[in-house]
Amino acid sequence: MVKSNNRGMVSWTKPEEGSLKFNVDGSTLGQPGPAGIGGILRDHDSSIKMLFSKLVIRSWDGNLKPFHKTVVVVLVCMTLINCCSATTNHKTQPKFPAIIIFGDSTVDPGNNNYINTTFKANIPPHGIDFPGQLASGRFSDGKLVPDFLASFLGIKDAVPPFLDPNLSDDELRTGVSFASAGSGFDDLTTTLSNVIPVSNAGTNDLLFNFLDLPTRRFEFDSKGYHDFLLQRLGNLVQELYGLGARKIVVAGLPPIGCLPIQMTSRLEFSTNRKCLKDQNSDAQSYNRRLVKLLPKIQSKLAGSKILYADIYQPLIDMINHPQHYGFEDTNIGCCGANGPLVTTFFCNPTTPICRKPSEFIFWDSVHPTQEAYRYIVHYFMKQVVPKLLHA
């Protein structure tokens, strides 16, 4: 039994067998003012599967819970919750009944719609291939990797944003995304973009703080900054483990030098635009170190399974062999394809778009199209998911 603010009593009802219940609450002394949040995930036997709590320095003086100021971001970090009982009918229940996502704009389904930031995608032409042509807040023409993954695993058709005030109990039970566009492992990244600070991190950190804006280059060389980011990632994984997560997938960096925005930054405006080898090499170096780090973290966390998800290889293969995937354009984004700079970061109703997004690898200057995400998930299903199922 839990005592509420009005001194009444509220009983906790167990979820159905094979299901989870996720209870979240928060409180604040004034708006703005000191605040705290917390949550608990339990199964039908009342066994605790995950806990979290956080003290927030100042709450937001709006109509949302203060949780949006506490998450820390990376590029992609995914947690699958496996809690099926022995009596569960495996023919009707998915192996993983819930999926939780942490990350940046590549996996943000719309959390930034509910916070004060310019990093939003809730206007057309975003979402033109999403069900109902809805500009949901996803930085793409359609669905993202978590959406396809949740669907392929039989969990649900799309992963919603945690900050959506209209989330149903079922949505919370089956998983949400805490991702926020513009976030990263480095706190400086989230300070610059004014977004939720959690986990795929790395790409924004390198773009915002090292490659395009050399803020961190005054403190670190490339290897040193990789060390800094990987330490932050390691801390995040251990924090998730402490909250109850046991199966965690961490994504590496994409071929950053092939992002349209990076080619444009080198004044590659011609039709002979090429990937930047030095930046791709930097991403590969980071990924190799991440691959070596994750088993070390896993060895220190009893009962954990921490896997690496390779984003670099499927994307670079699409870029090098577009004809194998049905792509026509690999070095410009569909949104802004006819613009004066060949690319744009913020798509809006006045931005020119291509005729067929499915023929483009990139939707804008940074984010892949729905079709590219679909192929990435096919890669994950072959390379990553089997390792989780047999863990």
Side-chain angles (χ1 to χ4, degrees), residues 101-163:
I101 305 293
F102 299 90
D104 62 7
S105 56
T106 58
V107 290
D108 180 2
N111 279 307
N112 278 20
N113 296 348
Y114 306 100
I115 62 177
N116 183 26
T117 177
T118 57
F119 287 80
K120 297 178 186 285
N122 57 351
I123 57 173
H126 295 295
I128 58 174
D129 292 319
F130 194 78
Q133 295 188 320
L134 174 67
S136 62
R138 291 166 171 82
F139 283 81
S140 187
D141 60 307
K143 292 186 175 183
L144 308 178
V145 165
D147 302 318
F148 285 123
L149 196 57
S151 179
F152 289 167
L153 291 173
I155 300 174
K156 53 185 169 183
D157 291 333
V159 180
F162 174 75
L163 292 182

Side-chain angles (χ1 to χ4, degrees), residues 55-128:
L55 175 66
V56 185
I57 302 303
R58 293 180 68 83
S59 66
W60 185 53
D61 56 350
N63 61 354
L64 299 176
K65 294 183 176 67
F67 185 84
H68 73 278
K69 297 229 179 196
T70 67
V71 195
V72 184
V73 178
V74 211
L75 258 195
V76 172
C77 185
M78 175 183 71
T79 299
L80 288 166
I81 299 174
N82 186 343
C83 61
C84 295
S85 67
T87 59
T88 298
N89 183 346
H90 291 281
K91 292 184 178 180
T92 59
Q93 293 290 334
K95 179 67 174 178
F96 301 101
I99 182 172
I100 298 175
I101 305 293
F102 299 90
D104 62 7
S105 56
T106 58
V107 290
D108 180 2
N111 279 307
N112 278 20
N113 296 348
Y114 306 100
I115 62 177
N116 183 26
T117 177
T118 57
F119 287 80
K120 297 178 186 285
N122 57 351
I123 57 173
H126 295 295
I128 58 174

Side-chain angles (χ1 to χ4, degrees), residues 82-83 132 137 145 147 171 191 198 201 325 336 342 366 369:
N82 186 343
C83 61
V145 165
D147 302 318
E171 291 284 22
T191 299
V198 181
Y325 302 89
V342 197
V366 176
T369 58

Side-chain angles (χ1 to χ4, degrees), residues 74-329:
V74 211
L75 258 195
V76 172
C77 185
M78 175 183 71
T79 299
L80 288 166
I81 299 174
N82 186 343
C83 61
C84 295
S85 67
T87 59
T88 298
N89 183 346
H90 291 281
K91 292 184 178 180
T92 59
Q93 293 290 334
K95 179 67 174 178
F96 301 101
I99 182 172
I100 298 175
I101 305 293
F102 299 90
D104 62 7
S105 56
T106 58
V107 290
D108 180 2
N111 279 307
N112 278 20
N113 296 348
Y114 306 100
I115 62 177
N116 183 26
T117 177
T118 57
F119 287 80
K120 297 178 186 285
N122 57 351
I123 57 173
H126 295 295
I128 58 174
D129 292 319
F130 194 78
Q133 295 188 320
L134 174 67
S136 62
R138 291 166 171 82
F139 283 81
S140 187
D141 60 307
K143 292 186 175 183
L144 308 178
V145 165
D147 302 318
F148 285 123
L149 196 57
S151 179
F152 289 167
L153 291 173
I155 300 174
K156 53 185 169 183
D157 291 333
V159 180
F162 174 75
L163 292 182
D164 183 347
N166 298 313
L167 279 180
S168 66
D169 290 342
D170 184 63
E171 291 284 22
L172 287 170
R173 281 196 299 268
T174 53
V176 294
S177 174
F178 295 97
S180 176
S183 62
F185 289 122
D186 190 339
D187 288 341
L188 181 58
T189 304
T190 43
T191 299
L192 291 172
S193 52
N194 193 32
V195 299
I196 303 175
V198 181
S199 17
N200 179 180
T203 301
N204 285 340
D205 296 311
L206 288 173
L207 294 181
F208 293 170
N209 305 323
F210 202 81
L211 296 176
D212 297 345
L213 300 175
T215 310
R216 290 297 191 189
R217 272 192 272 170
F218 294 112
E219 302 176 60
F220 305 103
D221 58 12
S222 180
K223 181 179 179 299
Y225 194 50
H226 290 175
D227 288 337
F228 174 77
L229 295 178
L230 290 171
Q231 181 180 15
R232 300 300 296 270
L233 183 149
N235 293 341
L236 172 65
V237 171
Q238 292 185 56
E239 184 175 351
L240 290 174
Y241 178 85
L243 295 173
R246 291 299 179 266
K247 295 189 177 184
I248 301 172
V249 179
V250 181
L253 295 180
I256 292 177
C258 294
L259 300 181
I261 193 171
Q262 294 308 99
M263 287 184 274
T264 298
S265 70
R266 292 281 181 92
L267 304 180
E268 294 281 352
F269 298 132
S270 70
T271 56
N272 191 32
R273 291 160 59 90
K274 296 180 180 179
C275 295
L276 308 180
K277 293 182 178 180
D278 58 329
Q279 294 189 7
N280 280 354
S281 177
D282 199 36
Q284 288 176 302
S285 175
Y286 173 91
N287 289 343
R288 285 192 294 269
R289 303 187 69 192
L290 176 59
V291 169
K292 294 180 180 179
L293 174 65
L294 295 182
K296 295 178 181 179
I297 297 177
Q298 179 179 297
S299 67
K300 299 177 182 178
L301 305 176
S304 68
K305 188 67 175 181
I306 304 171
L307 298 176
Y308 170 72
D310 188 353
I311 289 180
Y312 190 101
Q313 186 54 43
L315 260 179
I316 200 67
D317 195 62
M318 285 184 245
I319 291 167
N320 291 336
H321 307 286
Q323 67 279 5
H324 294 169
Y325 302 89
F327 293 121
E328 297 289 337
D329 291 273

